[in-house]
Amino acid sequence: MIDTKFNPTEVEEKWYNHWEKKGYFKSEIDDREAYTIVIPPPNVTGVLHMGHMLNNTIQDVLIRKARMEGKNACWVPGTDHASIATEAKVVQMLREKGIKKSDLTRDEFLKYAWEWKEKYGGIILQQLRKLGASCDWDRTAFTMDETRSKAVIKSFVDLYHKGKLYRGNRMVNWDPVAQTVLSNEEVLYKEENSKLFHVRYKVSGEDSYITIATTRPETILGDTAIAVHPEDERYSSMKGKSVEVPLVGRVIPIIFDDYVDKSFGTGALKVTPAHDVNDYEIGMRHNLEIVDVFNADGTMSEAAQFFIGKDRFDVRKLIEKELENLGSLVKVEPYRNSVGRSERTNSVVEPRLSLQWYVSMEKLAKPALENVMNDNIQFFPKNQKNLYRHWLENVRDWCISRQLWWGHQIPAWYYNDEVFVAENKEEAFQLAFAKYPDVGLTMEHLTQDQDALDTWFSSWLWPISLFDGFNDSDEFKYYYPTAVLVTGWDIIYLWVARMIMAGYEWAQEKPFDKVYFTGMVRDSQGRKMSKQLGNSPDALGLIETYGADGVRYGMMSCSPAGGDLLFDEKLCENGRNFSNKIWNAMRLVTGWEADNNMVEYESDKLASQWINEKFNMAMKEVVKNFEEFRLSEAITNLYSFIWNDFCSWYLEMIKPNENKIHPNTLNTCVEVFENCLRALHPFMPFVTEEIWHQLRERKPNEDCMMQAYPHPKEVNESLVKSVENVKEIISKIREVRSKYNLKMREELDLYAVQSAVTSQLLDNAPLVELLKKMAYLKTYGTVGDTHSDGVVFILGKDKYFVMFEQEIDVEAEIESKQKELDYQKGFVKSVESKLGNEKFVNNAPPAVVENERKKLADGQERIRILEDEIDRLKKK
RNA sequence: GGGAGAUUAGCUCAGUUGGUUUAGAGCACCUGCCUUACAAGCAGGGGGUCACUGGUUCGAGUCCAGUAUUUCCCA
């Protein structure tokens, strides 16, 4: 006896191993069309979370469908080295062993880091297998493996020689604890309680003062101007004057700049070009001196003159007292402002001038913007184009150096202050030697840049470097550009835009045809899932509870493209229940026995035709939804078809009284069942594969995964319509049964008042047979309008009588018919008012007007029937 | 501060160039069923002034403007 419950854990590992052993995931160049997806590489340190599950399920659905469509499907997996995250983990691991990073050489540190990566890295790739991901694992790549590293170095050198990469002294986000640059994305801003200090500066040569407001009094030591708005009347007399900085006594100018907000504080702004991005820009505009008062670790530098070596936050308290003593402090008030902290160390990020490597974005941005705006690369959903355009039109140069060891060390060598960029030290030496042939230069004179490259500088090459595109390989020619990129919109700038730039820079071609942006997974309260909140369910735990198919169903059914999705475990439960439903349908069908001696019922033939038409209708929707990446709709189409049409209606239609069934009927049934499995396979690969094999004996290579994906055919609409009509009659009869507590199988008589529709039904023997079987009718016949017995229902404009022994509840019937009458009267009234409007009749398309007339006639007929019926009931 | 989106049933969402018998689905809820595939199930049911106000139109959930609420992005 087969279990009544589908057990996912038993079959998932079996089928995954089977597929992998058969080599179904592998792709090699051949003469078929390539369908390529590159995985958005997760951090090598990462573990599977909800975002990954969503993202990778979508990729797997797309790649499996393409494979079934006969394309050469290639899904390349891999991880990135996540320089900051990984380095932080390695440093922590070393600390636990009692080793300080500063005690190690770069090489020693990297040895530990690689060991750590080999041991703990790539867990996530193992976890993806549990989800059913059909990646070509032989192609697994890592951003620091040999091929990828060479690509990174080559691209750096190439950009440098093209003048698209430079070293510059700019304002950056500085993490004083990690002592590295951070990207904007690694800085988290939050409102915090702080204080607003009002400080007065003496105007030189006068007995007056200007008062400024600041949250960071410790930077006063680095002030090089006071700025006011040019149209601020309060300060119009200050033109050309200067003030003295408290404590240090530096004399600084009063300048006029539009940037200043007149309404903030006193309308006067202290300008510290070395420690604020906006101040820096003002400084550039007005040629101000730059005084850097901090060291790299956030302590005061020599340039500060006071508090040297003390921490910036201690100094904030100390300077408050000093200013008070000097009489410069006007007042201190509580204040809330947005403070940026490092994602990794939580230290307050310091805007800092520092010498870093930048990619010049202007030229790179141009083709990247163009080819998205003209839909050469299509975005789903489309509205992401706005976001993309906005960023690219305001793009800033990209800071790619990081003060870390884990990553690609920058291929730049210095001789004194001169820099030589080359793929290796030997080539750098050649360059240096060519320039300085006479100084006795040796390799020892060159020192390599100590910094590493931003991880995104590897990731932006991913679609190229995975196929060794920098060596113009055959693989690259075949697999590139890839079909679709599936990723979250949160990295549209960090990653998507830059991949497109890289594509046009080095391949002169887009990296992908389409980008499908997924939403962010949120919990049922709409909060972003995060470790801190602890609101993220354990991904593998979910798979254990609901099965991979159940989880995939849950992820897919709540994932309209682009929008955020509120994840609810309930959806996985639906998925599990769906698996179980199909499982039980299989149990039913495999329990039937083909018997040539059985009659092939007309109703069975009809049901077979009908279910095929319905399947085509469903597939039309599925195909359309796939084209538009509306995957949640596509899976809903299949769910609804399989559960409602196939299981609830069709299987009941052909269900034999005993287990014996005509071979033709059984055969059609199994074929439709197989089509359902093929259509559903990309979404729910395990349960479909298992049932595929249970349904029939299969040859060695006959697996569901490798079947052709179903194509919709033309639909015979009139056949569908007539069966749908019978289904409605059946539902109405069930309604009566429910109301009168009649047993489902108690046989009833049904009479219809003669009409075109009801007579046509009567003449169609297979339809009547179907109706009688499904509704458990003894007889179906037509009668005259004057018939007056049983319970009445109306369908379209036809009147039916359901006959049964039990006495009918006259009061309840009158009430329900009256309710229906009220509804119909309202309906007719609204149609009448439309048709009474001359402008409507004259202007609306004739078909629309005609339809309104039909609605009116039908409504009026229903009113007539209902009024008659109420009369008849009242006479009882 | 600038920009983009959202608002449809208790919840999550569909609703495609404005016209499909005065709005659909899933979940939740209510009623009745252990009907020999499935209680992770079957049959039936209730539930919505489509955020608000105005406009365009013969006709608006759908287009336009404003308001409210809200989410996100950028600074």
Side-chain angles (χ1 to χ4, degrees), chain A residues 33-37 62-63 66 71-75 479 483-484 629:
Chain A
E33 180 190 343
Y35 186 96
T36 317
I37 296 181
L62 297 174
I63 207 84
K71 293 174 188 158
N72 187 345
C74 181
W75 182 12
Y479 289 110
V484 55
F629 288 93

Side-chain angles (χ1 to χ4, degrees), chain A residues 49 119 205 686:
Chain A
H49 63 60
K119 197 164 171 195
F686 296 109

